[in-house]
Amino acid sequence: MTRPLSKIMCANRGEIAIRVFRAATELRLRTVAIYSHEDRVHLHRYKADEAFEVGAGRSPVGAYLAIEEIVRVAKDAGVDAIHPGYGFLAENPAFSQACEDADIAFVGPTPAVLSALGDKTAARALAFEVGVPTVFGTEGPVATIDEARAFADHAGYPLIIKAAMGGGCRGMRVVREVAALDESFERARSEALAAFGDGTVFIERFVQHPRHIEVQILADAEGDVIHLFERDCSVQRRHQKLVEMAPAHSLDDSTRAALCRDAVTIARKVGYRNAGTVEFLVERGGGYYFMEANPRIQVEHTVTEEVTGIDLVQSQILIAGGATLTDLGLSQADISTRGFAVQCRVTTEDPQKGFQPDTGRIEVFRSGGGMGIRLDGGSGYAGAKVSPDYDSLLVKVTAKALTFQGAVDKLHRSLAEFRVRGVSTNIPFLHN
């Protein structure tokens, strides 16, 4: 069903909120921001046509998890659609349902699909059902430390504990020996609860030194699904992605085809709608395993946009309004990539202090632009206050060139031009 959209809210903050507002403005939609008390002078609220404070009396993170208040503010403001961004409520089926109940288009999957894929344990079961290889792990959520110990005794070490209801490395712990299991289990549950409002976790065998390859998909409400090829997100620190590239360099064509095929198969099986990512672990010999499906836009979506020329966020909004892939002029036969794109995340972390997050006021901020460089940020400007309450992402730098080495060279050149004073950043680490 097609519904005319005229005003959209982003129920998020920072870089992704600004990205949504820019995409929506180009579609000639009015934009609405929400912000916590701590974010009252944050840039994203000023990039929207209207902005409203939410979460009075809640924690800085809790403000962005206040479903009833966010939906109420949206209704009062005459919002037609809500984009959840990534993190916070992006994978929360209750939020999608609340939007649906309020007759507001949710820019993402249906509540049923979010329940099937947002819950990582349910997604593993779905992949297994359609014959996609999965890593050996628990059949469902692990509720107690006794259950965790029982699985560890059977599977052996190393293991990885993961949040069932969210991603982005929160609620994730690698356990290499029995002595670390109890503390890791409790820390993972605590982090998951704080980040996603749900402390459910599950456990898998930890695959040593794989490539982390993810496939971007788009699907409409009529069941049409396409892929936009893959990204390589193998460069990580503590399971947090640092560098992403598209397409994956030196990936075997047969493996690429299998990953893309399996991603589309999973999406069709679950009745997927909107943008999403299906993630795999690929071993050196070419074997691969389904890891998870992220039913939302990803931080690293920019590299896919750069090599395909397709605006993923605008596609999300239009699909939420009822457009089909055919309406958008998108068919699998016409999707191709040109050149290479590489993205790195500039964060306010100090490499000299074990990447400890740094906070304070940015006194000087000069970025490195130029041909082939795309900058996506939310706190990257002189005078910005970097708070300890949220993640440390400062700006995403994406380089595009016809060759992989050309993109890498552009990225290094851009990083060399950056000048940031007032807070420490990871640029020296990235520029090595």
Side-chain angles (χ1 to χ4, degrees):
M1 179 181 69
T2 301
R3 60 188 299 170
L5 301 180
S6 61
K7 184 183 285 191
I8 185 170
M9 169 189 283
C10 183
N12 215 297
R13 66 181 299 278
E15 172 267 327
I16 188 58
I18 293 172
R19 172 73 184 91
V20 170
F21 298 150
R22 286 171 171 165
T25 298
E26 291 170 9
L27 292 173
R28 300 185 179 182
L29 303 180
R30 297 278 295 175
T31 56
V32 177
I34 59 171
Y35 60 92
S36 67
H37 179 74
E38 290 75 13
D39 274 343
R40 60 193 179 279
V41 294
H42 199 279
L43 185 62
H44 78 272
R45 69 167 289 194
Y46 300 108
K47 290 291 186 179
D49 296 312
E50 303 172 46
F52 301 91
E53 182 174 342
V54 296
R58 290 175 173 261
S59 68
V61 170
Y64 294 99
L65 299 175
I67 293 176
E68 291 185 6
E69 182 179 2
I70 291 171
V71 173
R72 176 181 56 77
V73 169
K75 287 290 289 183
D76 290 346
V79 164
D80 305 304
I82 297 180
H83 194 302
Y86 50 73
F88 295 131
L89 295 170
E91 299 178 47
N92 190 314
F95 186 45
S96 177
Q97 186 65 58
C99 292
E100 187 174 297
D101 293 343
D103 196 30
I104 296 173
F106 180 76
V107 185
T110 63
V113 169
L114 283 173
S115 295
L117 293 183
D119 181 340
K120 310 304 182 187
T121 59
R124 279 172 47 85
L126 175 68
F128 182 81
E129 181 182 346
V130 296
V132 177
T134 58
V135 179
F136 178 66
T138 56
E139 293 186 4
V142 178
T144 68
I145 187 60
D146 288 336
E147 293 176 17
R149 290 171 185 156
F151 176 78
D153 290 343
H154 173 62
Y157 295 86
L159 302 170
I160 185 166
I161 304 170
K162 295 181 176 180
M165 304 306 295
C169 92
R170 294 174 177 84
M172 184 180 294
R173 283 287 188 277
V174 175
V175 186
R176 300 187 182 278
E177 57 185 6
V178 63
L181 179 62
D182 289 21
E183 181 182 359
S184 297
F185 181 75
E186 292 304 326
R187 283 180 174 268
R189 295 211 314 171
S190 177
E191 287 181 5
L193 180 62
F196 312 114
D198 191 316
T200 305
V201 298
F202 65 103
I203 307 177
E204 291 179 338
R205 177 176 66 85
F206 181 59
V207 181
Q208 303 273 19
H209 309 301
R211 294 182 72 177
H212 184 139
I213 307 294
E214 57 188 37
V215 178
Q216 177 70 57
I217 58 170
L218 272 178
D220 61 29
E222 295 189 356
D224 193 7
V225 183
I226 61 172
H227 68 78
L228 283 77
F229 294 96
E230 82 292 343
R231 302 184 285 259
D232 190 327
C233 304
S234 302
V235 181
Q236 303 181 17
R237 185 184 62 79
R238 298 174 186 169
H239 308 289
Q240 178 68 55
K241 299 168 186 174
L242 291 177
V243 178
E244 302 96 11
M245 59 195 73
H249 191 243
S250 301
L251 183 67
D252 179 80
D253 286 342
S254 61
T255 302
R256 173 179 288 112
L259 296 178
C260 293
R261 178 199 64 221
D262 285 352
V264 170
T265 296
I266 290 172
R268 283 186 175 143
K269 175 66 177 179
V270 78
Y272 200 84
R273 181 193 71 191
N274 217 265
T277 305
V278 183
E279 306 197 5
F280 300 89
L281 300 177
V282 180
E283 297 186 303
R284 292 180 180 179
Y288 64 91
Y289 307 98
F290 168 81
M291 185 171 66
E292 63 185 24
N294 286 307
R296 54 176 169 80
I297 198 71
Q298 292 275 80
V299 180
E300 58 273 16
H301 72 276
T302 58
V303 291
T304 295
E305 291 182 328
E306 291 302 309
V307 298
T308 63
I310 296 170
D311 189 315
L312 287 169
V313 178
Q314 286 193 2
S315 297
Q316 284 191 288
I317 295 169
L318 293 170
I319 289 172
T324 66
L325 295 180
T326 299
D327 293 335
L328 301 182
L330 299 176
S331 67
Q332 193 64 71
D334 295 329
I335 305 297
S336 62
T337 63
R338 185 171 188 265
F340 291 84
V342 183
Q343 173 190 279
C344 67
R345 307 183 190 191
V346 175
T347 61
T348 53
E349 298 173 311
D350 190 345
Q352 301 299 317
K353 296 181 180 179
F355 292 91
Q356 177 179 318
D358 196 13
T359 60
R361 188 174 298 278
I362 298 176
E363 299 170 359
V364 174
F365 184 88
R366 295 198 297 272
S367 60
M371 180 180 176
I373 295 296
R374 168 177 171 175
L375 302 174
D376 292 76
S379 300
Y381 59 96
K385 183 179 179 181
V386 179
S387 166
D389 299 313
Y390 303 106
D391 66 65
S392 59
L393 178 63
L394 187 63
V395 61
K396 302 185 309 192
V397 186
T398 306
K400 165 74 183 301
L402 292 178
T403 66
F404 175 72
Q405 188 59 52
V408 171
D409 291 342
K410 286 182 180 293
L411 190 61
H412 276 291
R413 188 269 303 160
S414 175
L415 291 172
E417 291 185 25
F418 268 77
R419 295 293 182 271
V420 182
R421 300 286 184 269
V423 294
S424 299
T425 73
N426 65 339
I427 290 176
F429 172 77
L430 294 169
H431 193 43
N432 282 341

